[in-house]
Amino acid sequence: MLNRPVPEVTFKSRVRDESIGGDNPFRWQDLASRDVFRGKRIVLFALPGAFTPTCTTEQCPAYERSYDDLKSAGADEVYCLSVNDAFVMYQWAKHLGLSKIKLLPDGSGDFTRRMGMLVKKDHLGFGQRSWRYAAVVDDGVVTGWFEEPGINDEGTDDDPYGESAPEKVLEWLKANPKQGNGSKRR
């Protein structure tokens, strides 16, 4: 994916809307990937699933803790993507007490598939999920790539986590600052 544009897809999200009233004041809102990534430097990290062990106890909390450092190093925003629906992602963020990073629900796996990161996790009963990776996306183009080793569909891995850790992304951001008015590095 390095030096390639991110896929153009529509994320199905839920946003709070007090005008709805009641116990569940949320409405559906389509979020185009081009709007997420256009004109900005985005740190994107993807993981196999909400409420799963490594994602919940390590990766997502680490990015939440590193958010201010990533922003100081030039990221405009930090997004977590998972092949989960908007309801699951909302409850997971609430469970983790997330207040800084933003979550992208890739419920159908369209973005993940087109990134080349959709894997089968049938051995765990998960179905299709994202392989663990992180990326720096400058104005819609992947300029930094951090993929965990051993991508596979058979479950022949120990759910690696290290290459996609926020420390690696932060180191890259510091070595590759934004140039001029745009986000693209030269």
Side-chain angles (χ1 to χ4, degrees):
M1 280 305 302
L2 200 55
N3 300 316
R4 292 179 54 197
V6 294
E8 288 196 25
V9 302
T10 300
F11 298 108
K12 299 292 186 181
S13 66
R14 301 277 288 166
V15 295
R16 190 170 192 87
D17 184 346
E18 296 301 332
S19 70
I20 295 172
D23 294 338
N24 190 15
F26 290 87
R27 63 177 164 76
W28 287 104
Q29 180 172 306
D30 287 353
L31 180 59
S33 59
R34 71 179 160 274
D35 294 335
V36 172
F37 297 104
R38 183 180 32 219
K40 296 173 251 176
R41 174 171 264 196
I42 301 296
V43 169
L44 171 71
F45 67 100
L47 39 78
F51 294 103
T52 58
T54 303
C55 305
T56 299
T57 61
E58 294 183 49
Q59 191 173 17
C60 206
Y63 272 92
E64 179 79 2
R65 286 189 307 272
S66 300
Y67 179 86
D68 293 330
D69 292 334
L70 293 164
K71 295 266 295 183
S72 292
D76 293 307
E77 198 52 73
V78 180
Y79 284 91
C80 171
L81 182 133
S82 182
V83 181
N84 289 113
D85 63 65
F87 295 103
V88 170
M89 295 293 274
Y90 173 79
Q91 288 300 324
W92 188 44
K94 195 170 158 183
H95 171 78
L96 290 174
L98 301 177
S99 63
K100 296 178 180 181
I101 62 174
K102 294 183 171 132
L103 302 183
L104 288 173
D106 188 21
S108 297
D110 291 337
F111 186 90
T112 302
R113 179 181 53 80
R114 292 180 58 198
M115 289 289 282
M117 293 287 106
L118 193 64
V119 296
K120 292 180 182 179
K121 292 276 188 178
D122 293 340
H123 64 286
L124 298 173
F126 287 1
Q128 295 192 341
R129 296 297 178 107
S130 179
W131 186 252
R132 198 180 307 278
Y133 70 93
V136 176
V137 182
D138 285 315
D139 194 20
V141 175
V142 176
T143 56
W145 187 252
F146 312 86
E147 180 181 331
E148 297 300 332
I151 189 170
N152 69 88
D153 284 330
E154 295 79 34
T156 57
D157 60 81
D158 293 321
D159 189 24
Y161 173 58
E163 291 304 311
S164 62
E167 296 81 9
K168 300 254 183 172
V169 177
L170 181 59
E171 182 180 313
W172 188 94
L173 287 170
K174 288 178 178 178
N176 296 277
K178 288 183 188 180
Q179 301 294 317
N181 294 336
S183 300
K184 294 182 181 176
R185 68 184 176 101
R186 295 182 187 154

